[in-house]
Structure formats: C-alpha cells, structure tokens
Amino acid sequence: MPETLIKVDLTQSAYDNDMIHNRWHPDVPMVAWVNPGDDFIVETYDWTGGFIKNNDSADDVRDIDLSIVHFLSGPIGVKGAEPGDLLVVDLLDVGPMKESLWGFNGFFSKQNGGGFLTDHFPLAQKSIWDFKGMYTSSRHVPGVNFAGLIHPGLIGCLPDPKLLATWNERETALIATNPTRVPGLANPPFGPTAHMGRLKGDAKAKAAAEGARTVPPREHGGNCDIKDLSRGSKVYFPVYVPGGGLSMGDLHFSQGDGEITFCGAIEMAGWLHIKVDVIKDGVSKYGIKNPVFKPSPVTPNYKDYLIFEGISVDEAGKQHYLDVHIAYRQACLNAIEYLKKFGYSGAQAYSILGTAPCQGHISGVVDVPNACATLWLPTEIFDFDVMPSAAGPIKHIKGDIQMPLSPDK
C-alpha cells in the first residue's frame, strides 16, 4: 500500500491541520519530501473546508466567507526538482472519502461571488448529490443519473517571488479599472483568513498579506477546473521553487465544461493516489508556459448528445465581436430554456449543466462578427427522452421538488 502523506479529519477545522494552506506563496513550508518515482496518497478537504453541509438549506452557500477558500493539501517537495524543470504528476487514482459519499453544487449570491449566469440566477441555491459507486443522483434535481469523472479542480506548484509579484500587480491593476464592480473583477491578497500551513509568527503575517488567492488558474496551473484531468491523467507542471511545492484540492465528482455555476461541479472531500517525477530543464526544452497534460483513458461512455449553439449576440440583442464568453453563455441559456420545457426549474437545469459531463466547444472564432460556441448535453443521463419530436416536449418533471434557495439578508 502506498503511504498516505497527508491525512485530513473531516470533523476537524482545516485551519487546525498544518498540512493544509489556502494561499499561494513561496514561503509556505513543504509538509513532506518525496523522491522522483515515488507514489503516495494525499487526502483533501472539500474546497470550503467542510463549510457546506449535507442538508436542505442554501443558507451556508449564501453565508460563506469566500476569502477562506480554497483549502489545499501540501505543499509537497520533490527532491532534485529545481526552477526550470517540469514536475511530472501521474494521477493514478482519485476518489471520495468513504465516510463522506456525497457532494454539493451551488450558485453563489450575486452579492457574494456570483457566477457565469449570475444575472439570471442572482440568489444562493444548492443541490446535494449522493454517490453510488461511480454514479450520482440528487434529491433536489430529479430525473438524472450519471457516471462521475472525478478530478482535482485545483492542483499546481508554488510560485517564486517574481511570479507572485507579477500575479498581484496585474490583478490589482485589473481591479482598479472598476473597483466597485459586483461581483469583483479579481480577489486581492487578504491576510485575516489566510492559512499558511506551518508558517508561524511574523513570517506568517508577512506571507499572508502577500499570498495570492487561489481562485483563478495561473501559469503554475492552480484552479483550472478541467474535468478531463481525471484518473490516469499525466500532468507536466513548470517548477518555480526548489522542490516544486505541489499542492492540490477542490475535488469534483463530476463537472460540466466551464464549471458554469461557480460552485459549479459536484464538490467533495476525497483522496488522490499520485506518482511524481522530474524532467530536468523541461520548461525550456519544450517551451512550456502553462502546464500541459494527457487526459484520462477512462471517461463516461456517453455517445449521444443534443448540442446547443450560441453566438456572440447577448440577451439584449447587442452585437459583440467574436466574443466566445458571450457565445458560450448563450449556448447555456438556450439549453436551460429547452430543459424547462420538460418541467425543470431554471435552477435545476442550470445545476444539470454545471454538474453533468457536458462538453463545451469553441466552434468558430473566424466568421465576423459572431463567434460560435456549443454546449453538448448527453441525452443518456436523463430518465426520459429529451430529443425534439413532432409530439412536442412532455413535462416529466412535475415541479414538486425544488432546489433550496436562500434570499440575501
């Protein structure tokens, strides 16, 4: 059996575990060292550290202080890894904690983070999903059952001081362009809720004040939320500090491309079995700027899709020039309106798109003025036929089950 390098106790606060951190900073101490070629187990909290509960209220989604996230396990040092190398990570296996076979999906209030469609779903809502082996279903979203593609939403290496300064400078400049925007354009460093692992005293306070928030993906990987980064994947990370400093967390049981509901996958606590290796001077050898990876050979075998198109004309009819963000939003809204014809609430349809193994594609960015994006909805996840027919849609979902909603205070 491989050694479990990092253990978590889901009954204990993540702040009390010194092998956990929630900021990126080069001074966060390594919690373990391994050799190239070693394989080992890493346990993780869910990204909120257990704040979201398995119940029928969205109050916790409404009330969470998002400056506490993400709780990451690590950093782990790999002996011999130096800046400019590539850290090779094999995701040998990944799964949920046996004492926690459930996950959650939620929409944050527009006043507290929002999400991809926050103007259409501005209030906090939540759905709970139960795991039955490789499948999941929800007591809050009837009529769907699908196989999970478990993956870490967040995995990456520590930045060096220069890279950290670059992140903070460019994101601070972006915030300055519209500092009162709701939701905010980015998340600046915030010391009071920082968990800096084993760092203590003045060194901790200094690093907490500078540490980059874990919200966006960056050059080191981080919060990329790539659903295909699952069991059997191999990832190549640029190394910036001696040892690399690999950290991970934010496990998802399943997710649609784009993680459009923000808390948008089925979030869970779990474990990863990984193996590490090093390619010396790999960054310059391969011209790597951001991580590259080989996807999992094992994926849910859905073959039949209903594909929704969207173009870069927004809900108000305004023309945008080759804007893929607008185009994908329209594809998602078109899918939601379609699913409502079968009886789903808009929130339930939105939750399905965020949690099920939907595919998102950029179909065209050349035919001015419209970009075209598509959302691929697997039809086999439904308990009934969702394809168009001459008979018209049948309301299989009766409306007697709704997702919990918590109005703003």
Side-chain angles (χ1 to χ4, degrees):
M1 285 288 292
E3 178 185 3
T4 300
L5 277 189
I6 299 177
K7 296 182 179 181
V8 301
D9 178 352
L10 300 183
T11 66
Q12 176 191 44
S13 168
Y15 282 104
D16 295 332
N17 188 327
D18 69 0
M19 302 181 89
I20 304 295
H21 65 106
N22 67 2
R23 299 290 190 270
W24 293 113
H25 194 285
D27 293 345
V28 178
M30 305 290 181
V31 299
W33 284 90
V34 298
N35 293 305
D38 285 352
D39 68 292
F40 47 87
I41 303 286
V42 174
E43 296 178 350
T44 74
Y45 289 91
D46 78 73
W47 74 299
T48 71
F51 190 88
I52 307 300
K53 305 300 183 186
N54 185 352
N55 59 30
D56 299 318
S57 168
D59 287 358
D60 46 12
V61 174
R62 178 193 61 195
D63 297 338
I64 186 172
D65 175 358
L66 288 174
S67 73
I68 67 172
V69 299
H70 299 70
F71 290 102
L72 306 178
S73 298
I76 297 167
V78 180
K79 295 175 183 175
E82 296 292 336
D85 295 343
L86 285 178
L87 183 62
V88 185
V89 178
D90 283 283
L91 295 178
L92 300 177
D93 206 354
V94 56
M97 301 288 273
K98 62 181 180 182
E99 67 271 32
S100 185
L101 297 177
W102 64 278
F104 59 91
N105 172 259
F107 321 153
F108 292 115
S109 162
K110 186 175 181 179
Q111 303 302 317
N112 187 30
F116 188 58
L117 301 180
T118 193
D119 289 334
H120 299 269
F121 301 94
L123 300 178
Q125 291 194 257
K126 182 173 82 175
S127 57
I128 298 296
W129 297 76
D130 294 310
F131 309 152
K132 297 168 185 171
M134 65 184 296
Y135 293 97
T136 186
S137 57
S138 171
R139 63 180 181 266
H140 298 128
V141 185
V144 287
N145 180 62
F146 47 84
L149 184 59
I150 304 176
H151 57 277
L154 202 161
I155 182 168
C157 292
L158 291 179
D160 62 17
K162 181 180 179 182
L163 185 60
L164 174 64
T166 298
W167 294 347
N168 285 337
E169 287 169 10
R170 73 187 183 199
E171 291 172 23
T172 298
L174 176 64
I175 293 169
T177 64
N178 189 355
T180 60
R181 184 182 187 273
V182 177
L185 289 169
N187 298 280
F190 184 70
T193 53
H195 182 15
M196 307 305 288
R198 292 178 173 172
L199 210 53
K200 305 291 184 186
D202 292 343
K204 175 184 176 182
K206 178 178 182 296
E210 300 170 343
R213 302 282 292 281
T214 58
V215 177
R218 299 186 179 96
E219 290 86 343
H220 68 145
N223 194 21
C224 292
D225 293 315
I226 301 170
K227 70 175 175 39
D228 300 294
L229 197 64
S230 185
R231 182 176 54 175
S233 295
K234 183 188 288 284
V235 199
Y236 302 83
F237 292 101
V239 172
Y240 302 96
V241 300
L246 181 70
S247 295
M248 63 210 74
D250 188 23
L251 297 191
H252 301 160
F253 188 86
S254 179
Q255 178 204 298
D257 279 341
E259 204 193 12
I260 61 173
T261 53
F262 186 4
C263 187
I266 299 175
E267 312 283 347
M268 68 176 203
W271 54 268
L272 303 100
H273 179 193
I274 65 176
K275 178 185 174 185
V276 295
D277 211 333
V278 175
I279 297 177
K280 300 302 292 182
D281 200 25
V283 169
S284 62
K285 282 179 179 174
Y286 290 99
I288 298 294
K289 179 180 178 183
N290 296 79
V292 297
F293 76 97
K294 180 177 145 182
S296 169
V298 181
T299 59
N301 189 26
Y302 295 116
K303 298 176 181 175
D304 189 64
Y305 292 87
L306 184 59
I307 300 173
F308 296 85
E309 297 182 7
I311 58 174
S312 51
V313 177
D314 67 22
E315 296 93 309
K318 182 180 178 182
Q319 179 72 61
H320 296 261
Y321 178 74
L322 297 180
D323 190 323
V324 173
H325 177 274
I326 297 289
Y328 193 54
R329 191 169 79 211
Q330 299 312 307
C332 294
L333 290 171
N334 290 341
I336 289 170
E337 285 303 309
Y338 184 90
L339 289 175
K340 287 165 67 175
K341 301 299 183 186
F342 295 85
Y344 284 111
S345 68
Q348 289 171 328
Y350 188 23
S351 186
I352 291 170
L353 302 187
T355 59
C358 300
Q359 296 183 28
H361 293 259
I362 299 172
S363 302
V365 287
V366 64
D367 300 312
V368 297
N370 282 335
C372 180
T374 52
L375 181 133
W376 297 38
L377 180 67
T379 61
E380 297 153 286
I381 68 173
F382 294 95
D383 294 343
F384 46 86
D385 186 5
V386 295
M387 293 300 291
S389 72
I394 298 173
K395 288 206 172 187
H396 294 275
I397 305 302
K398 303 305 181 186
D400 54 336
I401 298 173
Q402 295 295 328
M403 284 175 52
L405 180 150
S406 293
D408 292 335
K409 289 181 176 176

